[in-house]
Amino acid sequence: VRVLAFDPAVKTLPADLGDKLRLADSPAAAAYGASALVVATEWPEFREVDLDSILAVMKRKLILDPNRFLAANLAGRSDVEYLAVGIPGRKEVSRV
């Protein structure tokens, strides 16, 4: 597995993480050729990112969004595999 991450607040990685992941300089660069995209934070700028341009560069259009941060942006899209957890009253993973 190769992990490429983007976080607007992180400019360098701790030395012990350098061999485990790399930093990208933009969301699109992090998504380029990706088999999956994990939304692990709720930065406001991620909600405003151009999802079509992100999806266009991904190898597989799979988004894992544990907090349902992008649920409204991806609602009704059949071209994306969207997996989320944290739905009140449900125990299984949902597909939107």
Side-chain angles (χ1 to χ4, degrees), residues 21-63:
L21 69 113
R22 292 181 323 154
L23 286 176
D25 59 0
S26 70
Y32 185 82
S35 297
L37 178 70
V38 178
V39 180
T41 186
E42 297 180 6
W43 286 95
E45 49 266 69
F46 290 150
R47 192 181 312 272
E48 298 166 4
V49 77
D50 180 2
L51 285 173
D52 289 325
S53 66
I54 297 294
L55 294 167
V57 299
M58 292 179 70
K59 182 167 65 172
R60 177 179 177 192
K61 293 164 182 40
L62 170 62
I63 297 180

Side-chain angles (χ1 to χ4, degrees), residues 71-94:
N73 298 38
L74 293 169
R77 290 193 68 149
S78 61
D79 62 328
V80 179
E81 290 178 82
Y82 179 73
L83 300 176
V85 296
I87 302 170
R90 292 183 65 183
K91 294 181 183 173
E92 72 274 4
V93 173
S94 72

